[in-house]
C-alpha cells in the first residue's frame, strides 16, 4: 500500500528526473552566530531596537533602580503592582501596594495596575526580552494579565544575536521551563492591518537596564 509520503516523494523525484546531477543545489543558509560588537554598542543597539517597539528604556545602577522605577510608575499613575514571589527585595520600589505572587488568582493578577519582573536575557539585534520564568520572573500569566510590565534587565544579560540567546536558554529548555520572548508591548493586526494593542498581553512595556557603568540620575529616555 502506497502511503501519502511515498506519493509525494515520487512526484518530487519525477519532477527532478531531467535535472543534471552536476547542477549545484541551493546554497546552504548562513547566518551570524556571534555578534562582533563590544558590549557598550550592544546596550545602545538594544535600547534603539526596543524603543522602535515603543518601549520606554532607561539605565540605572542597581542601587538607583528602585527609585527610578518608582518615578516611572508614579508618572503612569500606578498603585497596585504584582511581583513574582521571589522578586529581588532590593529592586522593589517603595510607596506602592506590592502583591507578591504566592498563588494569586487570575482575577487578582488582572486587577493589578502592572507587574514587575526581571528577565533571563535580552537580545540587542531584535530588542527582545527573554523570560524563562526562573527567579524574579514569575509565572507566564503574571506577565500576560496586567496591562503594564516593567522589567529590570541586567546589562550583562544583553546578548547580541538570537542564536546567542537560544544557546543561553538551553539549560532552561532542558529543565522543562517555558520561554517567553517579548518584543515590545502586545500588539496584533487584522487582515486590513488595523493595529490593536493589548490583546495578548500588556499594552505598556518599560525596561530598566541595570548598568553599574551608567552614571546615577542620568536618564537616557
Amino acid at each position: 500500500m502506497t502511503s501519502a509520503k511515498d506519493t509525494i516523494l515520487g512526484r518530487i523525484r519525477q519532477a527532478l528526473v531531467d535535472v543534471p546531477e552536476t547542477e549545484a543545489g541551493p546554497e546552504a543558509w548562513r547566518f551570524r552566530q556571534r555578534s562582533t560588537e563590544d558590549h557598550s554598542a550592544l546596550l545602545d543597539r538594544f535600547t534603539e531596537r526596543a524603543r522602535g517597539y515603543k518601549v520606554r528604556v532607561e539605565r540605572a545602577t542597581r542601587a538607583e533602580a528602585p527609585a527610578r522605577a518608582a518615578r516611572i510608575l508614579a508618572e503612569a499613575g500606578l498603585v497596585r503592582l504584582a511581583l513574582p514571589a521571589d522578586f529581588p527585595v532590593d529592586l522593589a520600589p517603595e510607596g506602592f501596594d506590592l502583591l507578591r505572587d504566592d498563588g494569586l488568582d487570575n482575577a487578582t493578577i488582572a486587577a493589578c495596575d502592572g507587574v514587575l519582573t526581571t528577565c533571563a536575557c535580552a537580545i540587542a539585534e531584535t530588542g527582545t526580552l527573554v523570560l524563562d520564568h526562573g527567579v524574579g520572573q514569575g509565572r507566564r500569566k503574571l506577565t500576560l494579565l496586567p496591562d503594564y510590565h516593567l522589567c529590570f534587565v541586567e546589562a550583562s544579560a544583553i546578548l547580541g544575536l538570537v542564536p546567542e540567546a537560544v544557546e543561553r536558554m538551553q539549560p532552561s529548555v532542558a529543565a522543562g521551563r517555558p520561554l517567553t520572548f517579548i518584543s515590545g508591548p502586545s500588539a496584533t493586526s487584522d487582515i486590513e492591518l488595523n493595529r490593536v494593542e493589548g490583546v495578548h498581553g500588556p499594552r505598556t512595556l518599560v525596561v530598566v537596564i541595570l548598568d553599574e557603568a551608567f552614571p546615577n540620575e542620568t536618564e537616557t529616555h
Side-chain angles (χ1 to χ4, degrees):
M1 184 175 183
T2 302
S3 67
K5 178 181 177 182
D6 293 333
T7 300
I8 293 171
L9 292 177
R11 289 176 180 173
I12 293 174
R13 293 190 187 96
Q14 185 62 34
L16 297 174
V17 71
D18 59 345
V19 177
E21 293 185 2
T22 55
E23 183 172 306
E27 185 176 351
W29 284 96
R30 296 193 181 100
F31 53 89
R32 292 182 297 157
Q33 299 283 332
R34 291 283 184 276
S35 172
T36 57
E37 293 182 296
D38 64 36
H39 202 251
S40 176
L42 289 182
L43 296 184
D44 291 341
R45 183 175 298 278
F46 172 80
T47 300
E48 173 198 350
R49 295 294 165 84
R51 285 177 175 167
Y53 286 119
K54 300 197 299 186
V55 178
R56 179 173 180 174
V57 182
E58 298 199 9
R59 295 187 195 179
T61 64
R62 190 176 184 98
E64 198 270 340
R68 181 70 61 87
R71 185 189 311 163
I72 295 169
L73 297 168
E75 289 174 0
L78 307 189
V79 176
R80 174 168 288 190
L81 302 163
L83 306 175
D86 52 5
F87 185 81
V89 173
D90 66 321
L91 290 178
E94 296 181 352
F96 297 88
D97 183 8
L98 303 179
L99 296 182
R100 290 199 176 258
D101 180 24
D102 293 318
L104 298 174
D105 58 42
N106 291 351
T108 301
I109 296 173
C112 288
D113 296 326
V115 59
L116 307 180
T117 73
T118 62
C119 70
C121 68
I123 306 169
E125 184 70 12
T126 58
T128 302
L129 304 176
V130 183
L131 279 64
D132 68 357
H133 303 280
V135 174
Q137 300 166 56
R139 299 179 288 169
R140 296 190 82 175
K141 65 175 64 176
L142 203 60
T143 51
L144 293 176
L145 295 178
D147 201 31
Y148 188 106
H149 181 191
L150 188 151
C151 184
F152 293 98
V153 181
E154 293 281 358
S156 59
I158 296 178
L159 308 172
L161 303 173
V162 172
E164 294 174 84
V166 171
E167 181 180 336
R168 175 74 66 90
M169 291 299 99
Q170 287 302 314
S172 302
V173 173
R177 293 212 296 268
L179 301 181
T180 303
F181 290 70
I182 303 174
S183 297
S186 170
T188 189
S189 297
D190 63 17
I191 195 170
E192 296 181 343
L193 300 181
N194 294 313
R195 181 183 172 93
V196 179
E197 297 181 340
V199 176
H200 307 295
R203 284 181 292 183
T204 301
L205 177 62
V206 175
V207 170
V208 177
I209 300 174
L210 305 177
D211 185 0
E212 298 308 311
F214 200 72
N216 278 350
E217 299 298 326
T218 303
E219 297 189 4
T220 60
H221 183 67

